[in-house]
């Protein structure tokens, strides 16, 4: 079974401080990991995915298979980063798999960046 | 750019009534996923369709059914509504290798059962 855990429900930091949103997962295979963001009253948006190794809005996330983690980091938080962040896991892209493409979400972390 | 369209945005129904939620995926996307997010809860996967065939099934009650039509839009039918069905229902669409491209979500339909 696949599982995603975000241990922090709420996270508050001051503007300019570093921020790290934790995400741990369990999956018997090679998962694909994502971070989604939901700004107030807006839809969920894909922030980044581990396979692209990109940096979006200053955020990065490294997949650590040894620790089964995919923590989201930003060196200098901004007030506009305040939002709900979801870590998500998907099985590998395999059209023949029964769980193909299904996302499993973590519980979400509400990030508040204070001025 | 076109996004995933869901209708209606809000829906209020009484217990034991029936509701139909619609999802229009991004053009050329062939996979649709339905999620349910209760108040203060993380999204739960309900069901998905690939090329108009059910591809996966999650924690979807037997009172619910869904299908994907020839134009790739999908409908979630919910019967004998219960108070606990009140939630945000959102769908997502992707290409067949959606794991590489990620998902595009709709804004959701907020269902309130009274």
């Amino acid at each position: 079974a696949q599982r995603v855990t975000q241990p922090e429900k709420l996270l508050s930091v001051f503007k300019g401080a570093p921020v790290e949103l934790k995400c741990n997962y369990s999956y018997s295979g090679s998962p694909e990991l994502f971070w989604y963001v939901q700004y107030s009253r807006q839809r969920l948006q894909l922030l980044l995915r581990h396979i692209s190794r990109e940096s979006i809005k200053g955020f990065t996330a490294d997949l650590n298979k040894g620790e089964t983690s995919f923590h989201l980091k930003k060196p200098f938080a901004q007030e506009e980063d305040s939002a709900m962040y979801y870590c998500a896991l998907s099985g590998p892209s395999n059209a023949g798999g029964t769980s193909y493409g299904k996302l499993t979400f973590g519980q979400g972390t509400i990030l508040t960046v204070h001025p | 750019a076109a996004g995933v369209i869901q209708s209606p945005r809000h829906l209020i129904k009484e217990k034991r009534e029936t509701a139909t939620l619609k999802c229009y995926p991004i053009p050329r996307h062939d996979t649709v996923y339905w999620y349910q997010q209760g108040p203060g809860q993380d999204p739960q996967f309900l069901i998905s369709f690939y090329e108009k065939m059910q591809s996966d099934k999650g924690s979807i009650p037997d009172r619910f059914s869904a299908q994907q039509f020839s134009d790739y839009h999908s409908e979630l039918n919910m019967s004998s509504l219960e108070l606990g069905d009140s939630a945000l229902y959102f769908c997502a669409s992707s290409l067949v290798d959606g794991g590489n491209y990620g998902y595009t979500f709709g804004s959701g339909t907020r269902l309130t059962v009274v």
Side-chain angles (χ1 to χ4, degrees), chain A:
Chain A
Q2 52 194 62
R3 186 182 183 93
V4 178
T5 303
Q6 292 178 248
E8 302 143 331
K9 187 69 175 177
L10 300 167
L11 184 61
S12 290
V13 300
F14 285 102
K15 176 182 175 181
V19 62
E20 181 179 52
L21 286 75
K22 293 186 173 8
C23 172
N24 290 90
Y25 67 89
S26 64
Y27 184 79
S28 54
S30 296
E32 299 189 25
L33 277 298
F34 306 85
W35 274 99
Y36 285 85
V37 59
Q38 184 175 25
Y39 299 103
S40 179
R41 295 186 294 277
Q42 297 184 27
R43 68 187 63 183
L44 272 176
Q45 303 173 40
L46 176 65
L47 182 61
L48 53 80
R49 48 190 178 267
H50 89 271
I51 59 171
S52 60
R53 302 185 65 81
E54 58 197 346
S55 174
I56 303 294
K57 299 183 179 182
F59 284 99
T60 59
D62 291 319
L63 178 62
N64 186 324
K65 292 185 178 181
E67 296 182 357
T68 59
S69 68
F70 189 56
H71 303 325
L72 183 68
K73 302 177 184 179
K74 184 168 183 176
F76 308 104
Q78 302 299 315
E79 290 180 67
E80 54 265 32
D81 296 328
S82 296
M84 170 73 93
Y85 290 81
Y86 287 99
C87 181
L89 175 155
S90 170
S93 301
N94 174 9
T98 57
S99 61
Y100 168 71
K102 182 182 73 175
L103 275 176
T104 298
F105 287 92
Q107 300 92 328
T109 298
I110 300 173
L111 173 64
T112 303
V113 181
H114 300 282

Side-chain angles (χ1 to χ4, degrees), chain B residues 96-111:
Chain B
V96 64
D97 53 345
N100 288 325
Y101 295 97
Y103 300 78
T104 303
F105 290 87
S107 296
T109 294
R110 186 164 297 281
L111 172 67

Side-chain angles (χ1 to χ4, degrees), chain B residues 26-48:
Chain B
I26 288 179
R28 296 188 301 280
H29 278 195
D30 51 19
T31 308
V32 171
Y33 309 82
W34 284 97
Y35 289 84
Q36 175 193 57
Q37 186 175 18
Q41 299 177 12
D42 53 296
Q44 296 293 323
F45 171 74
L46 293 178
I47 195 167
S48 65

